[in-house]
Amino acid sequence: MDIPITETEEQLFTLLTDVVTHYNLGSTLRVAGGWVRDKILKRHSHLVDIDITIDNMTGKEFTDNLQAFLLLRNEPLHKVGIIGANESLSKHLETATLKLFGLWIDFVNLRAPDYTSTEKALKKQFGTPKEDASLRDLTINSLFYNIHSRQVEDFTEMGVEDLEKRRIRTPLSPNKTLEDDPLRALRAIRFAGQLNF
């Protein structure tokens, strides 16, 4: 499925894929979550950031490569913020964040099963796109946009259908999804109201 992207988003995605190619990182970068959902719905998004998942390194490791690439091209460097994992806030993965082309971009590795385990997080265990998608709050937020192929990916095989049918559901059983983060119940209600599902 193709989705329209802006000129600014195209500049961003080209820069990120150039970093992967230049350093032979072997990474697949995907936009995750609300940005993808809103693009499919042709909904003007008020999102202030774009979430980029990385399949083989942390967000910090990727942004280190990005900064080196910008330096190589004599382009201005950007301040990178690191948002540490904080289990008490149901934030289990470290995120690197910076502003590029006027957009806030968050970089984080794909979630693996048991990503809430501090021990596994410390070992930098990376998940697959299918595992990450199944661990998200809702199927409509589990969609990815692969910036290399420029295609939407639905690893739960439910996200696109649920958008079309205007349905809110979790990728796994509701009990398992809410066990990871009980606040997801409130998010489900909020999205149902915002999207008129």
Side-chain angles (χ1 to χ4, degrees), residues 1 30-33 36-37 40 129-134 136 138-146 149 151-165 167 169-171:
M1 167 186 294
R30 294 172 171 90
V31 182
V36 183
R37 177 199 65 231
I40 292 171
K130 185 173 179 65
E131 289 168 336
D132 184 287
S134 72
R136 292 192 176 262
L138 302 168
T139 58
I140 62 170
N141 293 332
S142 68
L143 298 164
F144 293 102
Y145 179 74
N146 184 315
S149 67
Q151 292 293 309
V152 172
E153 299 172 329
D154 184 0
F155 290 99
T156 67
E157 300 179 1
M158 298 181 284
V160 172
E161 176 186 340
D162 287 347
L163 281 175
E164 290 169 353
K165 293 186 176 183
R167 177 172 48 206
R169 72 173 150 167
T170 58

Side-chain angles (χ1 to χ4, degrees), residues 57-116:
M57 67 181 66
T58 66
K60 166 95 172 66
E61 291 167 330
F62 185 82
T63 56
D64 287 346
N65 284 289
L66 172 61
Q67 294 284 55
F69 187 72
L70 292 172
L71 192 60
L72 190 69
R73 290 178 28 174
N74 294 315
E75 293 186 29
L77 298 181
H78 301 272
K79 182 174 171 34
V80 176
I82 303 298
I83 303 165
N86 185 337
E87 289 189 36
S88 66
L89 298 175
S90 297
K91 174 99 176 93
H92 303 286
L93 297 173
E94 177 184 88
T95 303
T97 186
L98 75 153
K99 196 169 191 177
L100 286 168
F101 305 109
L103 302 168
W104 282 104
I105 315 298
D106 291 344
F107 295 90
V108 67
N109 56 278
L110 291 169
R111 303 168 201 193
D114 297 326
Y115 75 102
T116 58

Side-chain angles (χ1 to χ4, degrees), residues 25 44 47 49 59 76 106 123 134 139 168:
L25 299 178
H44 176 68
L47 293 176
D49 66 357
D106 291 344
K123 289 181 183 175
S134 72
T139 58
I168 297 287

